[in-house]
Amino acid sequence: AVHGQDGGVPRRDHVRARHSAPPLPLPRLVLTDALLSSPLLGWACRARVGAAHGGGLWRRSGRSPSLLARLARGTSTTARASELQQAPAPAPAAVVPTHKVTVHDRERGVVHHFLVPQDQYILHTAEAQDITLPFACRHGCCTSCAVRIKSGQIRQPEALGISADLREQGYALLCVGYPSSDLEVETQDEDEVYWLQFGRYFARGPVDRDDYALELAMGDE
């Protein structure tokens, strides 16, 4: 039986009204970029775990991804930004000096002007710029590309075709020569340089060709 108020027992309609009252709204956490990168990260993770176990700390929204995924993205983005700020800047590449080279070609009667990097062969660089210069072996073993320096300096550690004495007199080989400064050179006669190089080894000097003696020698055979 249900008693009235004077009997001290609550009426049935009062009990129904109390149980049908709407629940109080739970506090909702709004995720922002500041929160994702703030020290509240640990607290937010613990709160999310509590909500998954019925703690009711905030309400999930069907349109937003999970909190842990958003927190992980925010943390990784912050870490990458920190790494980029701390990474040292790459050192600038060393610039190779370039020198102006002038070659007076006596055989052709022309003068060539071109630029050569300090770490490149003079002959190879000239050919890359469609400039024709005398050459033969390309390995510094002959005197076809020999020149005499008029001004400037040249480095030629692989020039085997000319002696140290000729180098001191200003002779150089373009096929294995590197410019050390702006340079002006003049081509030389190959036979003349060859004689300067090896002439002292011949007792009578250079040997002249005797066609008549050659014909007699061939006739005797």
Side-chain angles (χ1 to χ4, degrees):
V2 178
H3 302 281
Q5 294 181 356
D6 50 356
V9 179
R11 295 176 57 183
R12 190 187 300 269
D13 54 351
H14 290 173
V15 175
R16 184 183 301 112
R18 248 194 334 266
H19 286 283
S20 61
L24 294 176
L26 296 175
R28 185 174 183 179
L29 181 63
V30 180
L31 297 177
T32 63
D33 293 338
L35 175 60
L36 292 176
S37 59
S38 70
L40 294 177
L41 175 62
W43 177 88
C45 291
R46 290 194 297 273
R48 178 65 183 91
V49 174
H53 289 80
L57 293 180
W58 69 66
R59 185 179 305 162
R60 292 186 61 186
S61 173
R63 294 178 300 173
S64 302
S66 67
L67 174 66
L68 292 178
R70 295 189 62 184
L71 292 175
R73 285 200 302 270
T75 304
S76 61
T77 302
T78 304
R80 286 195 299 269
S82 177
E83 291 176 359
L84 291 175
Q85 292 176 358
Q86 296 177 2
V95 178
V96 178
T98 300
H99 304 293
K100 179 182 178 181
V101 176
T102 301
V103 179
H104 298 264
D105 190 336
R106 295 193 309 176
E107 182 179 357
R108 296 179 175 89
V110 296
V111 180
H112 302 288
H113 303 275
F114 53 99
L115 298 177
V116 182
Q118 189 167 290
D119 61 347
Q120 299 293 322
Y121 292 132
I122 297 174
L123 176 62
H124 294 185
T125 305
E127 291 177 333
Q129 301 179 36
D130 295 327
I131 297 175
T132 302
L133 296 175
F135 73 92
C137 71
R138 294 179 178 271
H139 298 293
C141 298
C142 69
T143 57
S144 297
C145 64
V147 295
R148 192 160 191 178
I149 301 172
K150 301 182 70 174
S151 64
Q153 296 180 348
I154 189 172
R155 183 171 60 91
Q156 48 180 345
E158 305 165 84
L160 304 178
I162 54 177
S163 64
D165 293 340
L166 289 183
R167 295 184 195 180
E168 292 178 359
Q169 297 177 34
Y171 288 90
L173 301 179
L174 294 182
C175 68
V176 291
Y178 304 92
S180 300
S181 66
D182 288 352
L183 187 66
E184 185 177 3
V185 298
E186 185 180 51
T187 60
Q188 302 293 301
D189 181 74
E190 178 182 7
D191 293 336
E192 179 182 349
V193 178
Y194 187 84
W195 170 249
L196 292 175
Q197 174 86 336
F198 302 106
R200 65 178 182 272
Y201 297 107
F202 298 100
R204 300 181 181 178
V207 178
D208 296 329
R209 178 175 175 176
D210 190 339
D211 294 335
Y212 179 72
L214 181 60
E215 290 176 1
L216 291 178
M218 294 179 63
D220 292 341
E221 295 179 357

